[in-house]
Amino acid sequence: MAMTLEVLGMAACLPTIVSRKEWEARPLTCTALLSPPAAYLITEQLMGMECQEQNSCSQKLRVLQSHSVHNKGWCDVAFNFLVGDDGRVYEGVGWHFQGLHTQGYNNVSLGIAFFGNKIGSSPSPAALAAAEDLIFYAIQKGHLSPRYIQPLLLKEENCLAPPNPKTPKKACPNITPRSTWEARQTHCPQMALPAKYVIIIHTAGTSCNVSTDCQANVRYTQSFHMDKQGFCDIGYHFLVGQDGGVYEGVGWHIQGSHTYGYNDIALGIAFMGNFVEKPPNAAALKAAQDLVQCAVAKGYLAPNYLLMGHSDVANTLSPGKALYDIIKTWPHFKL
């Protein structure tokens, strides 16, 4: 049953949680306890478990539980909770017991797995929203630290489908190019690469959850920066939406206009929205982290870079307290 609660100063809904009894799980035999609050959040995507409603998703979980116990020798399913593509959260080992999802992290993390989507596709918007609400609830109830760290360990595991040769993980997230969001043509100064800094920003405007809305946001931001503020182009190198998408601003090779004194040596990454009270969702945070990792891998960012919030180098509320509290836990944050 859904209930409304206050999380991080914003109203958030506890997603529908299908209990172990409801999905007809075998009795829980795990004994290793998890000490709250967990410092880490681990997310995975399980493939080969396509389902779109509670009955079929419950059946998939029963098969997964049997596979975990009998084939892998575990005490139960590996995750604390599993999020179905139907937008429901299914109880795994729950809040109080350690999962078996990630060696070295099981005793200090909550493990959440997405399942139910078709092979090759991403979790549904309903699933992402349910996971976001679950995370806020976990923080509010003390199960997860408000300053949790989400390591770059996202794995895509094919649990029940026949094994296929694994392809190397992409070094970079998918980036929506300027041509797709219909950018105006400009001629701006070149960037000195590799950049030495990453500056995390929020636009303080409207957030977006689908690509068409995000593209409209980026077009509006470019026009505002050029026509109202006199910038050469949109001020940011890249923008990140709540759809989990990365949108090319001026890109890797052109100077931004985001932070006086840093525009020629820092990559400006802007989250679309206002994140003073509520942080970006998990999809957006992961996209930004992947983008930073990509920049290093491609040589656009120095391996010994420093990461900062916009407010560290300018008199501004950006990137918002809720987002700033998260990026403080990211690698290379400037202390």
PDB file of all heavy atoms in Angstrom, residues 18 79 81 115 119 121 127 132 144 194 241 256 258 295-296 300 308 314:
ATOM      1  N   VAL A  18       6.028  -5.592  -2.867  1.00  0.00           N
ATOM      2  CA  VAL A  18       5.464  -6.933  -2.835  1.00  0.00           C
ATOM      3  C   VAL A  18       6.307  -7.751  -1.862  1.00  0.00           C
ATOM      4  O   VAL A  18       7.509  -7.940  -2.080  1.00  0.00           O
ATOM      5  CB  VAL A  18       5.462  -7.570  -4.236  1.00  0.00           C
ATOM      6  CG1 VAL A  18       4.877  -8.979  -4.198  1.00  0.00           C
ATOM      7  CG2 VAL A  18       4.687  -6.697  -5.224  1.00  0.00           C
ATOM      8  N   PHE A  79      19.839 -10.000  -3.610  1.00  0.00           N
ATOM      9  CA  PHE A  79      19.587  -8.570  -3.459  1.00  0.00           C
ATOM     10  C   PHE A  79      18.638  -8.268  -2.302  1.00  0.00           C
ATOM     11  O   PHE A  79      17.781  -9.068  -1.942  1.00  0.00           O
ATOM     12  CB  PHE A  79      19.012  -7.998  -4.755  1.00  0.00           C
ATOM     13  CG  PHE A  79      19.877  -8.296  -5.943  1.00  0.00           C
ATOM     14  CD1 PHE A  79      19.600  -9.387  -6.746  1.00  0.00           C
ATOM     15  CD2 PHE A  79      20.987  -7.524  -6.222  1.00  0.00           C
ATOM     16  CE1 PHE A  79      20.414  -9.697  -7.827  1.00  0.00           C
ATOM     17  CE2 PHE A  79      21.818  -7.826  -7.292  1.00  0.00           C
ATOM     18  CZ  PHE A  79      21.528  -8.917  -8.094  1.00  0.00           C
ATOM     19  N   PHE A  81      16.425  -5.780  -2.450  1.00  0.00           N
ATOM     20  CA  PHE A  81      15.152  -5.540  -3.124  1.00  0.00           C
ATOM     21  C   PHE A  81      15.357  -5.676  -4.633  1.00  0.00           C
ATOM     22  O   PHE A  81      16.452  -5.450  -5.143  1.00  0.00           O
ATOM     23  CB  PHE A  81      14.600  -4.145  -2.796  1.00  0.00           C
ATOM     24  CG  PHE A  81      14.196  -3.991  -1.364  1.00  0.00           C
ATOM     25  CD1 PHE A  81      15.086  -3.507  -0.425  1.00  0.00           C
ATOM     26  CD2 PHE A  81      12.920  -4.349  -0.940  1.00  0.00           C
ATOM     27  CE1 PHE A  81      14.726  -3.384   0.903  1.00  0.00           C
ATOM     28  CE2 PHE A  81      12.555  -4.234   0.386  1.00  0.00           C
ATOM     29  CZ  PHE A  81      13.450  -3.752   1.319  1.00  0.00           C
ATOM     30  N   PHE A 115      14.682  -5.821 -12.932  1.00  0.00           N
ATOM     31  CA  PHE A 115      14.412  -6.997 -13.750  1.00  0.00           C
ATOM     32  C   PHE A 115      13.072  -6.813 -14.457  1.00  0.00           C
ATOM     33  O   PHE A 115      12.291  -5.909 -14.128  1.00  0.00           O
ATOM     34  CB  PHE A 115      14.383  -8.274 -12.884  1.00  0.00           C
ATOM     35  CG  PHE A 115      13.130  -8.452 -12.062  1.00  0.00           C
ATOM     36  CD1 PHE A 115      12.141  -9.334 -12.467  1.00  0.00           C
ATOM     37  CD2 PHE A 115      12.928  -7.729 -10.890  1.00  0.00           C
ATOM     38  CE1 PHE A 115      10.982  -9.500 -11.724  1.00  0.00           C
ATOM     39  CE2 PHE A 115      11.777  -7.892 -10.126  1.00  0.00           C
ATOM     40  CZ  PHE A 115      10.797  -8.779 -10.550  1.00  0.00           C
ATOM     41  N   ILE A 119      15.519  -7.901 -23.128  1.00  0.00           N
ATOM     42  CA  ILE A 119      16.970  -7.893 -23.321  1.00  0.00           C
ATOM     43  C   ILE A 119      17.347  -6.773 -24.289  1.00  0.00           C
ATOM     44  O   ILE A 119      16.751  -6.627 -25.354  1.00  0.00           O
ATOM     45  CB  ILE A 119      17.457  -9.254 -23.851  1.00  0.00           C
ATOM     46  CG1 ILE A 119      17.260 -10.336 -22.780  1.00  0.00           C
ATOM     47  CG2 ILE A 119      18.930  -9.187 -24.255  1.00  0.00           C
ATOM     48  CD1 ILE A 119      17.646 -11.721 -23.229  1.00  0.00           C
ATOM     49  N   SER A 121      17.053  -3.550 -23.559  1.00  0.00           N
ATOM     50  CA  SER A 121      16.348  -2.309 -23.234  1.00  0.00           C
ATOM     51  C   SER A 121      16.645  -1.896 -21.798  1.00  0.00           C
ATOM     52  O   SER A 121      17.075  -2.696 -20.975  1.00  0.00           O
ATOM     53  CB  SER A 121      14.839  -2.480 -23.423  1.00  0.00           C
ATOM     54  OG  SER A 121      14.323  -3.426 -22.507  1.00  0.00           O
ATOM     55  N   ALA A 127       9.721   1.694 -13.377  1.00  0.00           N
ATOM     56  CA  ALA A 127      10.717   1.016 -12.546  1.00  0.00           C
ATOM     57  C   ALA A 127      11.715   2.012 -11.966  1.00  0.00           C
ATOM     58  O   ALA A 127      12.069   1.939 -10.782  1.00  0.00           O
ATOM     59  CB  ALA A 127      11.439  -0.049 -13.370  1.00  0.00           C
ATOM     60  N   GLU A 132      13.705   5.113  -7.313  1.00  0.00           N
ATOM     61  CA  GLU A 132      14.002   6.414  -6.718  1.00  0.00           C
ATOM     62  C   GLU A 132      13.237   6.587  -5.403  1.00  0.00           C
ATOM     63  O   GLU A 132      13.807   7.008  -4.377  1.00  0.00           O
ATOM     64  CB  GLU A 132      13.621   7.524  -7.698  1.00  0.00           C
ATOM     65  CG  GLU A 132      13.896   8.925  -7.183  1.00  0.00           C
ATOM     66  CD  GLU A 132      13.464  10.002  -8.151  1.00  0.00           C
ATOM     67  OE1 GLU A 132      12.953   9.663  -9.236  1.00  0.00           O
ATOM     68  OE2 GLU A 132      13.618  11.189  -7.813  1.00  0.00           O
ATOM     69  N   LEU A 144      19.641   3.730   4.778  1.00  0.00           N
ATOM     70  CA  LEU A 144      20.683   4.138   3.836  1.00  0.00           C
ATOM     71  C   LEU A 144      21.178   5.515   4.227  1.00  0.00           C
ATOM     72  O   LEU A 144      20.375   6.410   4.525  1.00  0.00           O
ATOM     73  CB  LEU A 144      20.124   4.156   2.408  1.00  0.00           C
ATOM     74  CG  LEU A 144      21.074   4.532   1.280  1.00  0.00           C
ATOM     75  CD1 LEU A 144      22.186   3.501   1.124  1.00  0.00           C
ATOM     76  CD2 LEU A 144      20.302   4.665  -0.041  1.00  0.00           C
ATOM     77  N   PRO A 194      43.966  18.062 -21.929  1.00  0.00           N
ATOM     78  CA  PRO A 194      42.848  17.619 -21.102  1.00  0.00           C
ATOM     79  C   PRO A 194      42.475  18.636 -20.027  1.00  0.00           C
ATOM     80  O   PRO A 194      43.333  19.368 -19.522  1.00  0.00           O
ATOM     81  CB  PRO A 194      43.366  16.332 -20.464  1.00  0.00           C
ATOM     82  CG  PRO A 194      44.850  16.547 -20.367  1.00  0.00           C
ATOM     83  CD  PRO A 194      45.212  17.330 -21.608  1.00  0.00           C
ATOM     84  N   GLY A 241      19.818  14.815 -17.915  1.00  0.00           N
ATOM     85  CA  GLY A 241      18.397  14.842 -17.603  1.00  0.00           C
ATOM     86  C   GLY A 241      17.994  13.748 -16.636  1.00  0.00           C
ATOM     87  O   GLY A 241      18.726  12.778 -16.420  1.00  0.00           O
ATOM     88  N   GLY A 256      33.450  26.387 -22.177  1.00  0.00           N
ATOM     89  CA  GLY A 256      32.137  26.702 -21.651  1.00  0.00           C
ATOM     90  C   GLY A 256      32.068  28.137 -21.169  1.00  0.00           C
ATOM     91  O   GLY A 256      33.028  28.908 -21.302  1.00  0.00           O
ATOM     92  N   HIS A 258      30.511  28.739 -17.865  1.00  0.00           N
ATOM     93  CA  HIS A 258      29.813  28.377 -16.641  1.00  0.00           C
ATOM     94  C   HIS A 258      30.428  28.954 -15.383  1.00  0.00           C
ATOM     95  O   HIS A 258      29.726  29.253 -14.417  1.00  0.00           O
ATOM     96  CB  HIS A 258      29.737  26.852 -16.525  1.00  0.00           C
ATOM     97  CG  HIS A 258      31.040  26.153 -16.759  1.00  0.00           C
ATOM     98  ND1 HIS A 258      31.995  26.004 -15.769  1.00  0.00           N
ATOM     99  CD2 HIS A 258      31.573  25.586 -17.888  1.00  0.00           C
ATOM    100  CE1 HIS A 258      33.043  25.371 -16.275  1.00  0.00           C
ATOM    101  NE2 HIS A 258      32.816  25.100 -17.556  1.00  0.00           N
ATOM    102  N   ALA A 295      35.314  10.755 -19.903  1.00  0.00           N
ATOM    103  CA  ALA A 295      36.230  11.856 -20.205  1.00  0.00           C
ATOM    104  C   ALA A 295      37.678  11.477 -19.921  1.00  0.00           C
ATOM    105  O   ALA A 295      38.587  11.809 -20.692  1.00  0.00           O
ATOM    106  CB  ALA A 295      35.836  13.093 -19.401  1.00  0.00           C
ATOM    107  N   VAL A 296      37.884  10.757 -18.814  1.00  0.00           N
ATOM    108  CA  VAL A 296      39.241  10.296 -18.489  1.00  0.00           C
ATOM    109  C   VAL A 296      39.710   9.263 -19.499  1.00  0.00           C
ATOM    110  O   VAL A 296      40.831   9.323 -20.014  1.00  0.00           O
ATOM    111  CB  VAL A 296      39.290   9.728 -17.056  1.00  0.00           C
ATOM    112  CG1 VAL A 296      40.665   9.120 -16.769  1.00  0.00           C
ATOM    113  CG2 VAL A 296      38.963  10.810 -16.034  1.00  0.00           C
ATOM    114  N   TYR A 300      40.049  13.434 -22.483  1.00  0.00           N
ATOM    115  CA  TYR A 300      39.544  14.812 -22.397  1.00  0.00           C
ATOM    116  C   TYR A 300      39.701  15.389 -20.998  1.00  0.00           C
ATOM    117  O   TYR A 300      39.585  16.602 -20.808  1.00  0.00           O
ATOM    118  CB  TYR A 300      38.069  14.868 -22.790  1.00  0.00           C
ATOM    119  CG  TYR A 300      37.779  14.386 -24.192  1.00  0.00           C
ATOM    120  CD1 TYR A 300      36.831  13.405 -24.431  1.00  0.00           C
ATOM    121  CD2 TYR A 300      38.457  14.932 -25.292  1.00  0.00           C
ATOM    122  CE1 TYR A 300      36.561  12.952 -25.721  1.00  0.00           C
ATOM    123  CE2 TYR A 300      38.203  14.496 -26.575  1.00  0.00           C
ATOM    124  CZ  TYR A 300      37.257  13.504 -26.784  1.00  0.00           C
ATOM    125  OH  TYR A 300      36.991  13.074 -28.061  1.00  0.00           O
ATOM    126  N   MET A 308      34.515  19.482  -8.344  1.00  0.00           N
ATOM    127  CA  MET A 308      34.027  20.512  -7.432  1.00  0.00           C
ATOM    128  C   MET A 308      32.565  20.808  -7.717  1.00  0.00           C
ATOM    129  O   MET A 308      32.069  20.594  -8.830  1.00  0.00           O
ATOM    130  CB  MET A 308      34.841  21.806  -7.604  1.00  0.00           C
ATOM    131  CG  MET A 308      36.336  21.641  -7.398  1.00  0.00           C
ATOM    132  SD  MET A 308      37.244  23.207  -7.579  1.00  0.00           S
ATOM    133  CE  MET A 308      37.086  23.471  -9.353  1.00  0.00           C
ATOM    134  N   ALA A 314      32.162  29.712  -7.117  1.00  0.00           N
ATOM    135  CA  ALA A 314      31.339  30.858  -7.503  1.00  0.00           C
ATOM    136  C   ALA A 314      30.321  31.126  -6.410  1.00  0.00           C
ATOM    137  O   ALA A 314      29.965  30.230  -5.637  1.00  0.00           O
ATOM    138  CB  ALA A 314      30.623  30.599  -8.835  1.00  0.00           C
TER     139      ALA A 314
END
